[in-house]
Amino acid sequence: MSDDQDNGQDTGRALPERGLPAERVLGDIGALRAGDRPTHGGRLFAYVYDPAVPGLDELAAAAHASSAHVNGLDPTAFPSLLAMENALVGAASRLLGGGAGTGAPDVVGSVTSGGTESLILAVKAARDARPDVAAPRIAVPVTAHAAFAKAAHYLRVVLDPVPVDPVTLRPSAAAVAAAIGPDTVLVACSAPSYAHGVVDPVAEIAAVAAEAGVRCHVDACFGGWTLPWLRRLGEPVPPFDFTVAGVTSISVDLHKYAYAPKGVSVLLHRTPALRAPQFFAYADWPGYTMVNPVIASTRSGGPIAAAYATLRHLGEDGYLRLAAATRDAVAGLADAVRGTDGLRLLAEPESTVVCFTSTDPTLDLFVLVDELTARGWHTQPQLSYADLPASVHLTVTAAVAPRVAEFGPDLADAAAAARAAGPVKLPAELTALAATLTPDALTPELVAGLAAALGLGGPGAGLDGTAADGAGGFAPDATVNALLDAAPPALRERLLVEFVGLLQRPTY
Ligand SMILES: Cc1ncc(COP(=O)(O)O)c(C=O)c1O
């Protein structure tokens, strides 16, 4: 950023001595944004959800601005927000087997800031519904989202991991049953899992949970807004919603496949009684009595209004069209993988994910990811875990559809280049270090040294190791992934915590 206003010293500081004109401020943000991965254009397969609908961004931004200063703290002060929240919850409920129809469950819900908050609240509600259990536990498939582990950690609940079949990548109902004990307050499953896009056997798992008298949460954060449309399009989507008797709560993120801007998820409960322990109220202080359905107290109306506008603008017909485009894109990308020597789909696509692995030791997936990045395709590497190999994840959205024909040739080209470059060769002492170092022995200095040696630590570095092209220019990212891959999970966690600690430093 150039400076013409702040004594020649402004490098983008948030609080300059003298305020800057609006155009200058926006120009500076634009300059910062130029170093980001592309949020639009159908070439980024994680983090963003792009329907490529002309005018939608502008509509959502206008709606966001209209309610940005409205506060969700008190639903009686801002009835506009309450009305929009109730409408969003109603839409999600109707899509997922609730609703006003005869026989449908009396589903209620809350709008949260995202999938993680929805899952934390599902766990809190389950925990607080069982004050008789001194040391509550939750049974969660290992393929379920890491936010369950975060919820368990925050809420001091023990997480019992349920193994999955290494081929189907699904937990069996028997494995879930085996994980349920007298202190289990919640069973979880995914529809679908983020990593592989696989839908768990929800009906069987919910039956096992119901039999044990335990709540069953379906994490449909990722797929709850696509599976119903895919089913309407004739795809074989198994039952996963409130039409399944034992399902007690469902989460669905509107900032994913409902294509709303970030900051909106819906947590649904089958009945008001199931939701009640989710709420927090406090009157034992001299200020206003606080009643919070969700974690945040003050909440901006912006994301809620933006989501409301997005849903109303796209409508059922729009989502059906977008789901059809996404389904076709998934099929095309999966074909490209099938047609590339040395690659194999880790799971047959059944939702909106394409996930593949390497079957050829000379074709290093992490090198392939870098080669794809160099060709403008931003994929997400996934490290090996237990008996599951490392893989490459593609979250596919409607914007990808027009790009699919370009992907196959680039994938083949990238694979050839990755083979020619050969697998990452970590220095032997580094591999040994990764395998033997204990997380406690990892000092900030050691991580700083490692980061420096690997060329990491500035803007644009990807947490997953992938470089942001443009301003960042971080290299060599396959090396970082190879190093992380060689380390056990506890060490990966510590390394990345220290690394993010290095990144998150104030600028003056
Ligand atoms: C299945 C699933 N659950 C939960 C989450 C967490 O959502 P968020 O990142 O909005 O907190 C994700 C995010 O990808 C997800 O895919």
Side-chain angles (χ1 to χ4, degrees), residues 146 154 162 286:
Y154 278 19
V162 178

Side-chain angles (χ1 to χ4, degrees), residues 89 93 96-100 103-110 122 125 186 202-203 206-207 210 214-218 239-251 266-278:
V89 171
S93 166
L96 296 170
D106 182 17
V107 171
V108 291
S110 303
L186 183 74
V202 173
V214 174
R215 291 181 181 220
C216 174
H217 181 82
V218 177
F240 70 96
D241 57 19
F242 287 118
T243 56
V244 176
V247 170
T248 53
S249 56
I250 304 179
S251 48
V266 175
L267 172 60
L268 301 168
H269 293 274
R270 178 178 280 274
T271 66
L274 286 164
R275 182 179 63 172
Q278 175 195 311

